[in-house]
């Protein structure tokens, strides 16, 4: 089986916060799980370096867009690595290879008869002397009357054309834009209406798309798809590869999603692999992102793939809801967020991965609070998992001088473990990552209870045989828990892997316990609850001074 996993491409215009990581983490868990199972996996993503948010930031700071893109791309690559993201490729949309592939795809769409030219009116700012990208136009949404950007209304999710807005303003200078005529290429999105309805139907039948993706896509399809411009008069981006149109750029909504494909080709070029192995009907694909990205993955990208005759329509859509912070909406502009570089400085990457998974906004918004974060670390990671590791290893060290005697595993324990393998795998494959981790922690709680009930510290004096059996069973539980935890908590899992002197984890019941196991350092340290107040105050202060 081949598995393709596409993680959303963050805009390189500001640091990552907990909301980004909460929506992207399922991709890494899937990639690690499938690799561990022995499947061929390609997991790609990159930084979106062409989007208008970068131009906006560059404008504010008075530097070139590339300066901004470089800064944040490097920061993202570092953060992802430190958090254990195992991308096969993490690239960027201002790379030459991306430009080249996107241009090839553009020409293929034209050749297949899906592009046409049209004269259109577009917002032009005389003060800034440029045509305005849709996101640069702000005003009132004609559908719901709230403040909206020219590409999309965040309030009612309507897809908009910039000129439809009322009370339009240029985002750069706040002047009212004028309207000028320009010529653009259009993509015949409307001609894919029926095929996309079919795709929605089959994904609903198989329950492979999250509900939010299904509902939103259904709404767009019911409203009816309209052809959309695929070029823009912009200074930055991928140039149109057609004579006399080189000054125009391929619009970012086409170009950014095409990154999944360009990154795959880039991976093939670098490794000698074949990108076609992952872009066919037999590959199972997962697209992992936040809900604001849904239409790009359920409508735009499938339509482009159909237009390109690439037979690899999205299978799973894992579109998370939002993460709030202390019950309030995260706001990057008001500096109301927990930024990943700050979080990484003080907390273990597995604590972050654990909390953002067990508390993932899978089906509804979820909240990050410092109290919950610290309590979940102390009681679950340290108190439950860390405790089981510690008490088992300490016991072996203290009473058996680190030696483990090989014996038959108890039937009950073996059954519990095998049930967990099946359940956890099923949940991960279905994209229900939070439930998968919950099931695994049930096994951990079972293990602690097993230790408690069997009382080896009494048996060591009264029933030597029973004591050895309990400890051996606990080792079997531990090695299998360590193995199943790897996709979720790779750092701690890898410590157990070296404890058991294994070269690699797999995804099946194992009894590969070495005869001698070394003592290990505790996996986690307790976080002082004083931090709750400190961290909460810090957010208040940073927000107040921004
Ligand atoms: Zn609206
Ligand atoms: Zn302006």
């Amino acid at each position: 089986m081949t598995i393709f996993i596409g993680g959303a491409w963050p805009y390189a215009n500001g640091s990552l916060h907990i909301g980004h990581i909460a929506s992207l983490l399922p991709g890494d868990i899937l990639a690690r799980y499938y690799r561990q199972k022995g499947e061929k996996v390609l997991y790609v993503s990159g930084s979106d370096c062409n989007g208008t948010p970068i131009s906006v930031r560059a404008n504010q700071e008075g530097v070139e867009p590339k300066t901004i893109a470089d800064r944040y791309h490097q920061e993202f690559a570092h953060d992802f690595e430190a958090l254990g993201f195992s991308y096969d490729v993490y690239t960027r949309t201002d790379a030459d290879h991306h430009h080249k592939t996107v241009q090839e795809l553009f020409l293929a769409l034209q050749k297949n008869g899906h592009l046409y030219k049209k004269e259109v009116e577009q917002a032009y700012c005389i003060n800034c002397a440029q045509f305005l990208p849709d996101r640069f136009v702000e005003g009132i949404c004609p559908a719901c009357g709230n403040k909206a950007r020219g590409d999309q209304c965040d309030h009612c999710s309507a897809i908009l054309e910039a000129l439809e807005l009322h009370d339009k303003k240029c985002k750069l200078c706040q002047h009212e834009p004028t309207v000028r005529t320009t010529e653009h290429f259009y993509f015949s999105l409307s001609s894919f209406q029926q095929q996309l309805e079919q795709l929605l139907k089959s994904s609903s039948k198989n329950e492979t798309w999250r509900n939010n993706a299904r509902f939103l896509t259904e709404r767009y399809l019911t409203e009816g798809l309209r052809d959309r411009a695929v070029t823009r008069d912009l200074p930055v981006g991928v140039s149109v590869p057609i004579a006399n149109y080189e000054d125009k750029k391929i619009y970012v909504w086409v170009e950014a999603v095409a990154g999944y494909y360009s990154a795959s080709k880039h991976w093939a070029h670098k490794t000698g692999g074949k990108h076609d192995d992952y872009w066919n009907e037999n590959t199972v694909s997962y697209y992992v992102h936040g809900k604001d990205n849904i239409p790009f993955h359920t409508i735009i990208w499938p339509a482009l793939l159909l237009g390109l005759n690439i037979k690899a329509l999205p299978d799973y859509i894992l579109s998370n809801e939002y993460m709030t912070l202390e019950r309030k909406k995260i706001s990057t502009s008001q500096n109301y967020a927990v930024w990943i570089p700050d979080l990484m400085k003080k907390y273990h990457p597995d604590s972050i991965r654990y909390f953002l998974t067990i508390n993932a906004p899978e089906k509804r918004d979820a909240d990050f609070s410092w109290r919950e974060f610290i309590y979940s670390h102390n009681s679950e990671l340290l108190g439950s998992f860390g405790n089981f590791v510690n008490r088992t290893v300490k016991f072996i060290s203290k009473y058996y001088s680190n030696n483990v005697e090989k014996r038959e595993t108890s039937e009950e324990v073996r059954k519990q473990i095998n049930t967990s393998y099946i359940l956890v795998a099923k949940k991960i494959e279905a994209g229900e990552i939070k439930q998968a981790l919950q099931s695994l922690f049930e096994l951990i709680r079972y293990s602690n209870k097993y230790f408690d009930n069997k009382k080896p510290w009494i048996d060591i004096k009264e029933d030597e045989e029973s004591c050895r059996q309990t400890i051996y069973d606990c080792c079997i539980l531990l090695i299998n828990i360590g193995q199943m935890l790897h996709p979720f908590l790779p750092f701690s899992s890898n410590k157990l892997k070296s404890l058991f002197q294994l070269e690699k984890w797999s995804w099946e019941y194992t009894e590969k316990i070495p005869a001698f196991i070394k003592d290990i350092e505790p996996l986690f340290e307790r976080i002082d609850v004083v931090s709750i107040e400190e961290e909460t105050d810090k957010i208040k202060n940073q927000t107040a001074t921004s």
Side-chain angles (χ1 to χ4, degrees):
M1 196 155 75
T2 50
I3 309 288
F4 174 82
I5 302 162
W9 298 52
Y11 280 128
N13 73 324
S15 294
L16 297 170
H17 56 68
I18 44 170
H20 294 115
I21 300 302
S23 68
L24 296 174
L25 204 44
D28 184 60
I29 294 166
L30 281 159
R32 286 177 177 273
Y33 161 77
Y34 276 117
R35 285 191 204 112
Q36 204 175 321
K37 226 182 129 196
E39 311 292 5
K40 278 175 70 182
V41 174
L42 182 59
Y43 176 30
V44 308
S45 186
S47 308
D48 185 339
C49 296
N50 296 332
T52 46
I54 292 145
S55 310
V56 172
R57 175 123 198 184
N59 218 57
Q60 284 163 354
E61 293 191 17
V63 297
E64 288 299 307
K66 191 172 179 306
T67 310
I68 303 289
D70 283 349
R71 183 198 306 161
Y72 290 107
H73 173 74
Q74 279 157 21
E75 188 181 302
F76 294 175
H78 171 268
D79 288 348
F80 283 130
E81 201 192 325
L83 280 168
F85 276 73
S86 59
Y87 294 119
D88 293 297
V89 177
Y90 187 81
T91 179
R92 51 195 288 175
T93 60
D94 55 358
D96 287 344
H97 73 81
H98 175 73
H99 281 225
K100 192 169 153 272
T101 301
V102 169
Q103 289 177 334
E104 284 166 11
L105 296 181
F106 188 88
L107 292 173
L109 284 173
Q110 195 199 28
K111 188 166 154 258
N112 295 348
H114 300 301
L115 300 184
Y116 60 90
K117 283 181 232 165
K118 190 176 156 188
E119 286 234 316
V120 285
E121 295 188 318
Q122 203 189 325
Y124 184 89
C125 179
I126 296 172
N127 193 43
C128 298
Q130 70 170 80
F131 280 103
L132 296 177
D134 289 347
R135 291 176 71 104
F136 278 28
V137 183
E138 291 178 335
I140 302 299
C141 170
C144 73
N146 283 286
K147 236 186 131 195
R149 287 190 321 261
D151 57 343
Q152 192 179 354
C153 172
D154 282 339
H155 194 80
C156 71
S157 301
I159 294 185
L160 300 170
E161 298 270 345
L163 293 179
E164 296 173 345
L165 292 177
H166 303 310
D167 298 333
K168 291 180 278 293
K169 282 202 170 63
C170 166
K171 189 183 166 96
L172 300 173
C173 70
Q174 299 301 314
H175 282 74
E176 188 186 340
T178 53
V179 178
R180 282 199 186 174
T181 306
T182 178
E183 194 181 25
H184 280 298
F185 284 89
Y186 269 65
F187 174 57
S188 58
L189 183 60
S190 60
S191 67
F192 297 99
Q193 171 93 23
Q194 279 188 342
Q195 282 164 286
L196 293 175
E197 283 170 4
Q198 207 52 47
L199 178 67
L200 174 65
K201 225 184 194 170
S202 65
S203 62
S204 302
K205 199 176 108 223
N206 302 329
E207 297 187 352
T208 46
W209 291 8
R210 292 261 173 89
N211 280 342
N212 56 5
R214 267 165 44 203
F215 296 149
L216 194 61
T217 307
E218 192 171 4
R219 205 184 99 191
Y220 288 138
L221 290 170
T222 308
E223 284 169 8
L225 298 177
R226 285 183 290 174
D227 293 352
R228 298 202 73 192
V230 286
T231 56
R232 273 300 187 244
D233 298 290
L234 287 177
V236 180
V238 180
S239 300
V240 172
I242 291 171
N244 303 322
Y245 292 89
E246 297 97 336
D247 284 349
K248 295 180 191 285
K249 299 294 184 297
I250 298 174
Y251 205 5
V252 72
W253 63 262
V254 175
E255 175 255 301
V257 283
Y260 296 120
Y261 191 76
S262 74
S264 304
K265 283 189 80 171
H266 183 52
W267 164 84
H269 180 74
K270 274 187 6 184
T271 60
K274 283 205 216 102
H275 71 278
D276 286 343
D277 288 354
Y278 296 91
W279 291 92
N280 55 55
E281 281 161 311
N282 300 322
T283 294
V284 177
S285 59
Y286 288 86
Y287 288 91
V288 182
H289 46 262
K291 67 176 164 188
D292 51 337
N293 263 313
I294 290 170
F296 299 104
H297 295 89
T298 62
I299 292 182
I300 306 282
W301 185 226
L304 291 170
L305 289 169
L306 287 164
L308 291 162
N309 288 324
I310 298 173
K311 298 192 183 345
L313 294 178
D315 293 307
Y316 288 86
I317 298 288
L318 272 54
S319 38
N320 267 352
E321 296 287 316
Y322 290 144
M323 188 125 228
T324 54
L325 171 58
E326 308 287 357
R327 306 259 161 226
K328 281 195 291 188
K329 196 169 178 245
I330 289 173
S331 164
T332 54
S333 58
Q334 287 164 39
N335 201 11
Y336 185 72
V338 175
W339 303 103
I340 296 303
D342 292 341
L343 192 60
M344 296 288 307
K345 265 181 226 150
K346 279 180 73 178
Y347 300 96
H348 193 290
D350 277 350
S351 304
I352 300 168
R353 290 177 68 109
Y354 175 78
F355 185 79
L356 295 181
T357 303
I358 206 75
N359 195 37
E362 277 187 1
K363 292 185 177 144
R364 60 188 68 85
D365 289 355
D367 189 51
F368 181 101
S369 80
W370 281 105
R371 171 170 295 275
E372 288 300 320
F373 175 73
I374 288 168
Y375 274 106
S376 105
H377 170 94
N378 284 347
S379 65
E380 297 293 316
L381 273 189
L382 175 87
S384 190
F385 171 51
N387 177 44
F388 183 61
V389 176
N390 215 36
R391 69 203 301 200
T392 305
V393 175
K394 286 273 175 287
F395 199 97
I396 298 169
S397 149
K398 185 172 173 189
Y399 295 108
Y400 297 129
S401 316
N402 300 84
N403 293 300
V404 184
E405 190 188 85
K406 177 89 190 155
R407 29 196 329 129
E408 282 283 310
T409 310
S410 301
E411 191 53 34
E412 180 201 332
V413 165
R414 196 199 327 237
K415 243 195 216 156
Q416 285 287 345
I417 294 171
N418 277 319
T419 308
S420 285
Y421 273 109
I422 294 165
L423 198 62
V424 174
K426 203 175 129 209
K427 294 289 178 195
I428 294 180
E429 289 179 20
E432 294 172 349
I433 310 295
K434 172 181 173 170
Q435 288 187 44
L437 187 57
Q438 279 169 349
S439 304
L440 190 44
F441 267 75
E442 272 164 33
L443 181 66
I444 294 171
R445 278 189 285 276
Y446 164 86
S447 304
N448 271 315
K449 225 181 268 168
Y450 189 78
F451 195 104
D452 290 340
N453 292 341
K454 295 284 179 185
K455 299 186 173 57
W457 62 93
I458 292 177
D459 278 351
I460 187 81
K461 296 167 211 143
E462 295 175 2
D463 187 347
E464 169 66 18
E465 175 59 22
S466 161
C467 182
R468 283 190 183 273
Q469 184 64 45
T470 303
I471 293 304
Y472 184 73
D473 285 342
C474 286
C475 275
I476 296 293
L477 281 162
L478 199 52
I479 193 172
N480 285 286
I481 287 167
Q483 180 152 278
M484 279 187 267
L485 261 181
H486 175 253
F488 306 94
L489 310 178
F491 299 94
S492 318
S493 165
N494 282 342
K495 284 191 182 163
L496 291 179
K497 197 171 69 183
S498 50
L499 176 79
F500 290 113
Q501 298 142 50
L502 289 175
E503 251 172 51
K504 62 181 199 104
W505 290 127
S506 65
W507 192 271
E508 56 189 8
Y509 179 80
T510 176
E511 296 191 350
K512 283 185 199 146
I513 309 285
F516 179 86
I517 62 173
K518 286 173 299 194
D519 211 348
I520 60 169
E521 295 284 304
L523 294 180
F524 305 103
E525 306 214 356
R526 181 168 298 278
I527 304 174
D528 192 332
V529 290
V530 167
S531 302
I532 297 171
E533 215 182 313
E534 287 172 8
E535 297 287 9
T536 317
D537 284 349
K538 204 174 118 194
I539 297 177
K540 278 186 203 142
N541 292 337
Q542 81 187 25
T543 309
T545 54
S546 74

